[in-house]
Amino acid sequence: MDFLPEIFAAQDGDCDITNAFCFAKETVFLVLNAMSEENGLRGSALLKVNLRERDPTYEILHEFDSGSLDYHSEHADLHHILASGGYIHRIENGAMTFHRYAAEAFLPELAGLARGAVAVFGENGLAFRFENGVYTPMPTTTNLRLYGMHFPRPDLGYAVGNYGTFLRGDGTAFTPIDLGIGESLRAVHVKSDGVILVAGTGGTGLVIQGEELLRVEGNTADFFSVTEFQGEEYWGDDDFGVYTRVDNAFVPRFETSYAFNMNTANDLLTINAGYRVYIFDGSDWVHLQVNPDIDRMIERVPLDFVPH
């Protein structure tokens, strides 16, 4: 471990989780982002956390001396980390390759596109396909900030952003669709039945089914994530945690306080809540906390809410 000990030794040393992915209940992958403002230190590490025992153990798969902006994992042997400055660290079967930024603009978001490919996007409506070490522009016909993207299959996906930006993509380029709203949209998810869920600031929740647009009521906090898990919708905000939907109303479900990212794989839901991560299989929970302490950096803690 090269960078984290010095950061955690600082008086203001702190850490949080950039994102987390779980493909089997005994293991979770997460990127830990550590910083000391006072000493001007940054560091990030990709951890493979073993959950087989009561006290988790971990293996550092990759570590570097800068902050991390986003993290996407396709499966247990392929990881993409977007570092500050826009650099991508690609770790496949334990081997890391390092790739320079796609553009000078601030592009802090990652999303899966197709097998082995991710999208990098953000400011000025810029989006790039990253595959086999090569960045390929994905024209969007907008100059507005993009925040969320979801491709349920390689040739169909959607992106969302500021001032109601909503784009349909085919894996190479995007076409704008006017929803007639002005809110900032932060996340999008296409359900297994083709219904599109869009989440945004101020509790904005939209459900798009064909030509029909339904606005969901009942929340005023900012949404950051939305997904489908075991046939149920989950909407994550920065105040309560996770809501579900009944018709056109939000209903509180998991009081995690935050749900910045939610990822699903192999009948497991992973919720990133800042310095905590929750793993849910539909009935049982695993709750982990990260600490700026080398001796107990990853800690299993009791579930801190009663599911509604």
Side-chain angles (χ1 to χ4, degrees):
M1 194 179 301
D2 297 322
F3 308 111
L4 300 187
E6 184 179 2
I7 296 171
F8 292 164
Q11 188 171 358
D12 68 335
D14 203 0
C15 63
D16 58 23
I17 298 169
T18 302
N19 209 346
F21 289 82
C22 189
F23 304 100
K25 200 171 181 182
E26 65 271 10
T27 305
V28 63
F29 297 89
L30 62 88
V31 168
L32 187 149
N33 181 55
M35 70 294 293
S36 166
E37 296 287 352
E38 183 178 315
N39 295 342
L41 298 174
R42 292 285 188 277
S44 298
L46 170 62
L47 306 183
K48 179 181 180 180
V49 182
N50 179 5
L51 303 174
R52 292 183 180 87
E53 304 298 331
R54 175 63 195 173
D55 295 324
T57 58
Y58 63 86
E59 175 185 359
I60 294 184
L61 302 182
H62 181 54
E63 186 187 9
F64 54 95
D65 61 345
S66 71
S68 47
L69 301 172
D70 205 353
Y71 161 53
H72 177 78
S73 181
E74 181 178 315
H75 53 74
D77 295 315
L78 179 59
H79 310 270
H80 290 87
I81 304 172
L82 185 61
S84 56
Y87 298 88
I88 284 183
H89 298 241
R90 185 178 189 273
I91 300 97
E92 184 173 17
N93 295 318
M96 193 279 290
T97 55
F98 177 75
H99 306 272
R100 290 181 59 83
Y101 51 83
E104 295 286 350
F106 184 53
L107 307 178
E109 316 290 348
L110 280 181
L113 276 180
R115 186 172 180 82
V118 295
V120 187
F121 55 99
E123 281 188 345
N124 305 325
L126 292 175
F128 293 84
R129 183 187 187 96
F130 177 79
E131 188 173 17
N132 297 322
V134 177
Y135 293 102
T136 304
M138 301 172 68
T140 65
T141 69
T142 182
N143 61 1
L144 295 174
R145 171 75 153 85
L146 301 178
Y147 286 103
M149 191 179 293
H150 181 223
F151 272 77
R153 63 178 203 240
D155 62 343
L156 175 67
Y158 296 88
V160 295
N162 272 344
Y163 302 105
T165 298
F166 182 69
L167 312 172
R168 178 187 173 107
D170 63 2
T172 61
F174 290 90
T175 302
I177 298 174
D178 184 8
L179 297 180
I181 65 171
E183 290 94 332
S184 180
L185 306 177
R186 298 303 177 94
V188 59
H189 183 83
V190 185
K191 295 174 60 176
S192 55
D193 61 4
V195 172
I196 305 166
L197 310 177
V198 180
T201 57
T204 299
L206 307 174
V207 179
I208 304 169
Q209 186 168 11
E211 298 297 319
E212 181 181 357
L213 174 64
L214 173 70
R215 182 179 286 270
V216 190
E217 307 293 340
N219 190 17
T220 58
D222 293 337
F223 281 121
F224 283 85
S225 58
V226 61
T227 193
E228 178 186 25
F229 176 65
Q230 296 185 358
E232 190 168 3
E233 296 174 15
Y234 290 126
W235 303 68
D237 74 0
D238 64 348
D239 180 40
F240 172 81
V242 181
Y243 292 79
T244 188
R245 178 176 67 93
V246 176
D247 297 325
N248 68 334
F250 288 118
V251 178
R253 187 65 188 276
F254 307 137
E255 195 173 1
T256 61
S257 298
Y258 305 98
F260 295 120
N261 296 292
M262 292 189 289
N263 300 302
T264 60
N266 301 333
D267 275 336
L268 294 168
L269 171 69
T270 307
I271 303 170
N272 169 23
Y275 63 94
R276 293 169 288 124
V277 61
Y278 300 83
I279 302 163
F280 183 48
D281 67 0
S283 59
D284 296 324
W285 290 85
V286 173
H287 181 200
L288 301 178
Q289 177 177 298
V290 299
N291 305 299
D293 183 337
I294 292 300
D295 294 326
R296 59 181 190 96
M297 196 162 68
I298 305 293
E299 183 180 10
R300 189 195 296 258
V301 292
L303 192 64
D304 54 355
F305 66 91
V306 177
H308 292 269

